[in-house]
């Protein structure tokens, strides 16, 4: 299946470079570009991409506002793409707010080309770009320094079974599906089933939101090791 991508960035050279790199992949099709968040929303509404590469800082409308519009669309808007935030800095409050809004992760603009290609594929598959330990550390630091709890998040944990709670905790500690399976002595497919149930019961879009929810609910705390 071909992954449809649009690139939203105020720098024309960045858009052109990313478009050339991604278009060279047999399984990726760049179907649109935009110089700011407002135009990005318009392009997304007409092209229906699978993944939106969204710069954080842009004129007219920043990436956070645009991501919120795409991930929490108005009634009647059915299409909801995956959003991958692009940033120049590895610590950026806008990135975390975007994760809370439902973005599937973030990527530094100076990341190697192979990382960009892999990130698009990972996000398109429904996973969150949270594997690197630096991402886990940054999210943990942000939750510690600037908490913004959901409404009664700890109470929502009561709807999970003990096993599902355990799986959520391991997700928040940064373990992959394979690592969780080994830790709990389960089949990897069983772990995927548990994760799907956790996301469904807590009304979370993906692992990114699951990690943030676990911190906000107090299931894990910043600085905890895997």
């Amino acid at each position: 299946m071909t992954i449809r991508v649009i690139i939203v960035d105020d720098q024309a050279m960045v858009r052109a470079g990313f478009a050339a790199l991604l278009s060279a992949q047999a399984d990726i099709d760049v179907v649109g570009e935009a110089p700011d968040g407002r135009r990005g929303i318009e392009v997304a509404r007409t092209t229906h991409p699978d993944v939106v590469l969204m710069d954080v800082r842009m004129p007219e409308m920043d990436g956070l506002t645009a991501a919120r519009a795409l991930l929490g669309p108005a009634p009647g808007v059915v299409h909801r793409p995956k959003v991958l935030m692009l940033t120049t800095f590895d610590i950026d409050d806008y990135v975390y707010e975007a994760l809370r809004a439902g973005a599937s992760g973030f990527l530094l603009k100076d990341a190697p080309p192979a990382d960009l290609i892999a990130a698009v594929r990972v996000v398109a598959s429904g996973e969150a770009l949270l594997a690197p330990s630096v991402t886990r550390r940054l999210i943990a630091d942000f939750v510690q320094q600037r908490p913004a709890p959901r409404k009664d998040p700890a109470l929502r944990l009561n709807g999970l079974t003990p096993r599902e709670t355990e799986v959520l905790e391991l997700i928040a500690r940064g373990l992959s599906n394979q690592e969780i399976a080994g830790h709990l002595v389960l089949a990897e497919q069983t772990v995927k089933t548990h994760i799907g149930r956790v996301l469904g019961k807590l009304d979370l879009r993906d692992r990114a939101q699951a990690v943030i929810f676990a911190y906000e609910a107090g299931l894990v705390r910043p600085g905890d090791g895997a």
Side-chain angles (χ1 to χ4, degrees), residues 52 54-56 63-64 67 83-87 94-95 98 103 105-107:
V52 177
M54 182 78 74
D55 188 20
V56 172
L64 172 58
V83 175
L84 178 61
M85 304 303 296
L86 300 170
T87 179
Y94 284 106
V95 173
F106 72 89
L107 189 70

Side-chain angles (χ1 to χ4, degrees), residues 43 62 64:
V43 173
D62 63 38
L64 172 58

Side-chain angles (χ1 to χ4, degrees), residues 58-106:
M58 292 180 290
E60 298 296 329
M61 179 185 287
D62 63 38
L64 172 58
T65 304
R68 283 177 174 155
L70 291 174
L71 295 168
V77 178
V78 177
H79 180 68
R80 184 182 295 179
K82 306 291 184 182
V83 175
L84 178 61
M85 304 303 296
L86 300 170
T87 179
T88 307
F89 309 101
D90 62 353
I91 299 179
D92 192 318
D93 290 357
Y94 284 106
V95 173
Y96 298 104
E97 293 303 325
L99 289 175
R100 283 199 173 99
S104 295
F106 72 89

Side-chain angles (χ1 to χ4, degrees), residues 4-5 16 25 34 45 48 52 70 106 123 129 133 170 176 183 185 193 199 209-210:
R4 295 169 59 83
V5 176
Q25 310 307 308
R45 294 283 187 256
H48 294 170
V52 177
L70 291 174
F106 72 89
V123 169
L129 196 66
S133 60
L170 294 175
S176 66
H183 186 82
V185 194
T193 299
L199 298 180
Q209 287 200 324

Side-chain angles (χ1 to χ4, degrees), residues 135-199:
T135 308
R136 299 197 302 271
R137 175 182 61 79
L138 292 173
I139 291 177
D141 289 347
F142 181 73
V143 173
Q144 180 183 43
Q145 295 166 14
R146 298 184 59 175
R150 300 168 185 269
K151 183 178 180 180
D152 298 326
L155 294 178
R156 291 169 63 188
L157 289 174
N158 294 337
L160 302 182
T161 67
R163 177 63 85 189
E164 289 165 354
T165 302
E166 195 171 15
V167 168
L168 175 58
E169 179 181 351
L170 294 175
I171 291 173
R173 293 182 188 281
L175 273 67
S176 66
N177 289 359
Q178 185 176 15
E179 290 168 337
I180 294 173
H183 186 82
L184 299 178
V185 194
L186 297 172
E188 192 168 346
Q189 186 56 49
T190 302
V191 171
K192 291 180 180 179
T193 299
H194 283 310
I195 292 173
R197 289 173 180 165
V198 168
L199 298 180

